Amino acid sequence: MKNIFITAPRGYGKTTALKKTIGLIDKQVSGFEVGKKFMTDSKEFYICDIENTSYNCLIAYSKSNSKPVANIEGFENHGCEILKKAISSENIIIMDEIGFLEENAPKFKQSVIDSLNSSNIVIGVLKKFNGEFINYIKSRDDVLVLELTLENRDDIPNQILKHIRRFECNEI
């Protein structure tokens, strides 16, 4: 499989495993990660270009302990631009993370699909969430979803690396 996603409950180390995987790969990567900014009474979430971390855009905010409110324009403009650039490269595409905030961002969801359909290898994180778009990604025949647990989280980067090598050797 050329499209590999990690999923697990919050706090299990999905992003940490993804970053360790990136450290093992001997290829360039492009794509996005979600950054968080915590303030006294609120949180802000940013989509960040992993090749240019100063290039980021607000995608959601929340007050106190309330559910985040999506900034769809951040996904539709900035997120799409990041993925379009990643697809045009020969780099491995990183997506950290796909969650529920994208549900009402059709252009961004199409950019994710275009990434999965591209010739690029995609490695990402899926929020542990029962949503239409996440379920669509999980159901694709060209997607491998690895369930990260407390017991296997240290081995997940090596598992992903093995799948990438098999794909590159046309063994998958």
Side-chain angles (χ1 to χ4, degrees):
M1 303 277 175
K2 72 165 202 72
N3 301 313
I4 305 165
F5 286 89
I6 304 166
T7 192
R10 185 171 20 155
Y12 272 51
K14 300 179 294 287
T15 296
T16 300
L18 180 61
K19 288 185 181 206
K20 286 181 181 177
T21 303
I22 292 168
L24 295 173
I25 297 170
D26 60 353
K27 293 188 176 263
Q28 295 292 320
V29 296
S30 298
F32 70 86
E33 63 184 355
V34 174
K36 298 172 188 166
K37 183 177 179 182
F38 297 94
M39 288 147 302
T40 305
D41 62 345
S42 62
K43 285 187 268 187
E44 294 178 343
F45 301 86
Y46 294 86
I47 191 164
C48 306
D49 185 328
I50 62 172
E51 292 182 284
N52 179 3
T53 54
S54 64
Y55 188 64
N56 58 63
C57 184
L58 182 72
I59 54 169
Y61 62 91
S62 66
K63 297 280 186 192
S64 299
N65 291 326
S66 64
K67 186 176 177 180
V69 175
N71 172 24
I72 300 303
E73 286 183 22
F75 286 108
E76 299 288 80
N77 297 324
H78 197 77
C80 290
E81 185 178 324
I82 292 169
L83 288 176
K84 183 178 180 183
K85 182 180 80 165
I87 292 167
S88 69
S89 74
E90 293 183 11
N91 298 347
I92 292 176
I93 298 174
I94 303 298
M95 297 183 194
D96 185 14
E97 85 180 350
I98 302 292
F100 60 86
L101 293 170
E102 302 87 343
E103 284 293 331
N104 295 313
K107 290 178 187 174
F108 180 76
K109 292 192 304 188
Q110 186 59 54
S111 292
V112 170
I113 293 167
D114 293 345
S115 298
L116 298 174
N117 291 340
S118 75
S119 60
N120 305 63
I121 293 171
V122 174
I123 306 171
V125 170
L126 290 176
K127 187 171 196 65
K128 189 94 168 160
F129 179 74
N130 186 19
E132 184 179 330
F133 189 55
I134 289 176
N135 291 340
Y136 164 75
I137 292 170
K138 288 179 180 179
S139 72
R140 287 177 56 117
D141 291 336
D142 62 348
V143 169
L144 173 66
V145 178
L146 299 173
E147 183 79 29
L148 184 140
T149 66
L150 296 176
E151 294 76 29
N152 75 0
R153 68 180 173 187
D154 292 332
D155 189 49
I156 288 287
N158 291 319
Q159 287 182 39
I160 293 171
L161 193 59
K162 285 180 191 175
H163 284 285
I164 291 171
R165 287 182 177 151
R166 284 187 196 145
F167 175 76
E168 290 177 334
C169 293
N170 295 317
E171 293 179 358
I172 292 184

